[in-house]
Amino acid sequence: MFLVPYNKLSETQKHIIRKVSRGDENLFIEGPPGSGKTLISLYTLKNMIRTQAVKPLLLIYNHSLYGYLRSALQEMDLVDNIMIATKDKYFWELARTNNVQATGNNYEEEYTQLLRGLLNINHEPIFDIAVIDEVQDLRKEEWELIKKLCRRITSLGDFNQGVYKTELSKTDVIQKGRSEVLTDIFRFHKSIAKTAQLFSKSKQSLEDKVSRIEQNDIQLIDIKSVDNAQTIANIITSLKRQKGRVGIISHNRENLKRLKEALNALEIEATYYKSNKELRSHHFGSEVPLLITSHSAKGLEFDHVILFGFDEGDSNISNLRKSGILEDTLYVALTRANTNLYIIRNENTITEINSISVESNVDDFTIDDIF
């Protein structure tokens, strides 16, 4: 079982699950990474399905989170009782059902026109409740559509973790509803928290929120770029003795593709999907290392994370900087780790990562010190 059992949840988490299961109003559950938001959504759905006649919608924003939650629902024997869908796919299908046509010069324009066309329709509620994970990454039009289609909404998220620029605000989400705040971090330990805090939008200390006592040191591994694959292969081999799920995270798919080929040559098993859609069928309980982008890793967690390939001269890095979301991307990637975090650096690694040191993880060191 890769999910935390219900009896291992905190009293605060259990209280929110009971409150959502029995309530009849919109609720926004806010909390830092690793505070158990996704667990709350899953156990809330389990409670509702087992005790009430409800038609729920579980809507997520990407294929990897779909695959992760589907694996969890299968483990809980709930997969046949819930409508689970990625948001884009669901709204495209809704448009076809309602004969809404959309045109545009690119996907962004076409999808925006499609959403606006759907908003012009007088929809009757289809679902008793919608559970929206990572709500901060929804478009405002998507949120307005969900309000029309569902009698009530439980949304979960952290507006400090957004890696997409949207017009949806926290105010929009909590309007005409209530909010609950999770404060404790259960996923990772203080060393990971201190490192991730360097890239957080929030001025609050993540370290103060960590409830775990045990911890491992962050592993900063400085090598030559030609040694990337062999170094990662060595880490994978050493982790086999510890067990657990391994996420190998980079910011773009080309890095992952090249690494997969190199690991194959070294006879090291790892999973890489050529298409993000294939993540929908991935079994997230598997301990075979998964090669995944930082964007696709959002909402997931791994026992062990290996971060690599954030190099200068990469057009993806330039685009992330220009969009103002490079720090957000690093924050998300670092906070996927549960126990071990390995950061691979080389002569080309970006300044933001090269400036991290175990010794510099102190309260007065912030991302501003890097520039």
Side-chain angles (χ1 to χ4, degrees):
M1 183 173 187
F2 74 92
L3 283 178
V4 175
Y6 181 82
N7 61 6
K8 297 289 186 182
L9 300 184
S10 71
E11 287 306 312
T12 300
Q13 291 170 325
K14 291 177 183 176
H15 171 72
I16 292 175
I17 291 167
R18 290 191 295 267
K19 184 179 288 188
V20 177
S21 301
R22 299 167 186 169
D24 59 1
E25 58 186 332
N26 291 348
L27 178 66
F28 170 52
I29 302 170
E30 181 179 22
S35 56
K37 298 184 295 295
T38 299
L39 278 172
I40 286 174
S41 69
L42 290 168
Y43 283 114
T44 294
L45 288 169
K46 182 176 181 178
N47 267 11
M48 295 183 72
I49 288 170
R50 295 284 164 84
T51 61
Q52 306 170 40
V54 293
K55 185 178 181 182
L57 168 67
L58 179 55
L59 201 64
I60 61 272
Y61 85 102
N62 70 8
H63 298 298
S64 53
L65 191 54
Y66 175 97
Y68 181 81
L69 292 175
R70 187 170 180 83
S71 294
L73 291 169
Q74 287 173 336
E75 192 170 282
M76 300 169 79
D77 196 27
L78 295 177
V79 72
D80 295 326
N81 301 300
I82 296 172
M83 173 66 178
I84 176 172
T86 48
K87 63 181 183 64
D88 287 42
K89 188 172 187 295
Y90 178 76
F91 289 126
W92 277 105
E93 290 177 354
L94 187 65
R96 281 192 288 270
T97 301
N98 288 276
N99 199 29
V100 173
Q101 305 295 321
T103 58
N105 295 319
N106 52 48
Y107 180 85
E108 183 77 15
E109 290 182 7
E110 193 171 355
Y111 186 58
T112 299
Q113 190 181 68
L114 175 142
L115 292 174
R116 290 173 180 170
L118 285 171
L119 281 170
N120 287 329
I121 298 173
N122 292 321
H123 298 277
E124 290 294 327
I126 300 173
F127 299 97
D128 298 304
I129 183 170
V131 176
I132 313 299
D133 211 349
E134 303 290 343
V135 68
Q136 70 274 3
D137 289 314
L138 286 187
R139 300 177 183 223
K140 196 165 185 176
E141 296 94 338
E142 292 169 333
W143 176 254
E144 293 301 322
L145 267 173
I146 293 166
K147 289 198 296 184
K148 286 187 171 189
L149 295 167
C150 306
R151 291 182 176 86
R152 65 185 177 104
I153 306 169
T154 292
S155 54
L156 307 100
D158 176 8
F159 279 85
N160 291 315
Q161 290 190 67
V163 294
Y164 296 100
K165 294 297 184 182
T166 76
E167 295 181 1
L168 186 69
S169 70
K170 181 178 172 180
T171 302
D172 296 323
V173 173
I174 63 176
Q175 199 173 41
K176 296 182 180 179
R178 296 185 303 103
S179 63
E180 294 278 353
V181 178
L182 297 168
T183 56
D184 293 338
I185 293 173
F186 302 97
R187 176 186 302 155
F188 47 81
H189 49 69
K190 291 181 182 293
S191 293
I192 294 174
K194 286 192 287 187
T195 302
Q197 181 62 40
L198 302 175
F199 305 99
S200 172
K201 292 176 183 175
S202 171
K203 300 302 180 183
Q204 298 178 351
S205 171
L206 286 181
E207 185 184 2
D208 293 339
K209 299 177 186 293
V210 173
S211 65
R212 288 174 59 176
I213 297 173
E214 81 286 355
Q215 66 173 342
N216 297 344
D217 289 335
I218 304 299
Q219 300 296 311
L220 300 173
I221 303 174
D222 294 308
I223 58 172
K224 293 181 179 179
S225 56
V226 294
D227 296 327
N228 260 351
Q230 185 62 64
T231 301
I232 292 172
N234 292 343
I235 295 171
I236 292 171
T237 301
S238 71
L239 287 174
K240 286 182 180 179
R241 292 190 294 270
Q242 296 190 42
K243 303 290 186 180
R245 294 175 298 116
V246 180
I248 304 174
I249 301 177
S250 190
H251 64 94
N252 74 35
R253 297 182 60 79
E254 281 303 310
N255 288 343
L256 300 174
K257 180 182 177 182
R258 288 193 294 268
L259 178 61
K260 170 61 176 174
E261 292 168 352
L263 291 176
N264 282 347
L266 294 169
E267 298 185 342
I268 297 294
E269 185 180 12
T271 300
Y272 166 72
Y273 295 108
K274 294 180 180 179
S275 167
N276 280 335
K277 289 183 179 180
E278 294 178 89
L279 285 163
R280 295 170 70 90
S281 58
H282 178 72
H283 177 52
F284 280 88
S286 170
E287 293 189 358
V288 175
L290 176 63
L291 280 65
I292 191 168
T293 64
S294 41
H295 276 66
S296 290
K298 194 164 182 295
L300 309 182
E301 65 173 275
F302 301 91
D303 297 289
H304 319 288
V305 164
I306 303 169
L307 190 75
F308 84 102
F310 284 78
D311 295 340
E312 295 288 1
D314 188 316
S315 60
N316 279 20
I317 292 291
S318 299
N319 291 335
L320 290 171
R321 278 205 182 105
K322 288 177 184 177
S323 301
I325 58 173
L326 176 57
E327 293 172 19
D328 303 314
T329 302
L330 290 169
Y331 178 75
V332 167
L334 294 167
T335 54
R336 299 310 95 196
N338 183 314
T339 302
N340 289 306
L341 174 60
Y342 302 85
I343 301 176
I344 310 295
R345 308 188 297 193
N346 60 54
E347 66 276 11
N348 301 316
T349 298
I350 59 176
T351 305
E352 290 87 342
I353 291 180
N354 262 336
S355 298
I356 297 172
S357 70
V358 174
E359 293 75 21
S360 66
N361 285 341
V362 294
D363 291 343
D364 60 353
F365 186 86
T366 68
I367 194 66
D368 295 330
D369 297 317
I370 293 174
F371 298 102

